[in-house]
Amino acid sequence: MTRTSDGLDPRRRRILYRSWHRGTREMDLLLGPFVEAEVEGLDADQLDVLEHLMDAPDQELYAWFTGAKETPEGYDTPLFKRICAFHAAGS
């Protein structure tokens, strides 16, 4: 993690922390860099979607991100696709 939580509101601080402390290193590496780069610019609705996504079990999230399982409708959101694109671009 290179970004600190300095200057972030409590909600964004929690999201940043949770993104890097998932329980599996693979999910830390998928969510952490994206949240680190984007959390400041996300609006309240996007934060809601991100928190909903982060409530899913790591095994399910990983399977959706890797394409091993189809992403359920409630999770296949523009933000989910944005996270996938973030990593596809090598960010």
Side-chain angles (χ1 to χ4, degrees), residues 74-86:
Y75 293 94
D76 194 17
T77 64
L79 186 65
F80 177 82
K81 291 176 176 133
R82 188 169 156 190
I83 297 168
C84 292
F86 177 87

Side-chain angles (χ1 to χ4, degrees), residues 4-5 7 12 26 35-36 41-42 44 48 58 65 69 72 84 91:
T4 68
S5 60
R12 285 179 170 78
E26 294 84 358
V35 170
E36 203 172 281
L42 298 177
D48 289 344
D58 281 0
F65 278 119
K69 288 177 83 176
C84 292
S91 299

Side-chain angles (χ1 to χ4, degrees), residues 8-40:
L8 295 177
D9 62 75
R11 184 179 188 192
R12 285 179 170 78
R13 285 179 186 208
R14 277 191 307 278
I15 290 171
L16 179 61
Y17 180 84
R18 284 182 65 200
S19 72
W20 280 108
H21 297 88
R22 296 288 309 167
T24 63
R25 190 67 182 143
E26 294 84 358
M27 287 312 306
D28 293 351
L29 295 173
L30 282 169
L31 289 175
F34 174 80
V35 170
E36 203 172 281
E38 304 289 333
V39 72
E40 237 175 327

Side-chain angles (χ1 to χ4, degrees), residues 57-73 75-76 80 84:
D58 281 0
Q59 300 85 348
E60 294 293 313
L61 273 175
Y62 188 75
W64 303 336
F65 278 119
T66 61
K69 288 177 83 176
E70 187 174 331
T71 307
E73 185 177 318
Y75 293 94
D76 194 17
F80 177 82
C84 292

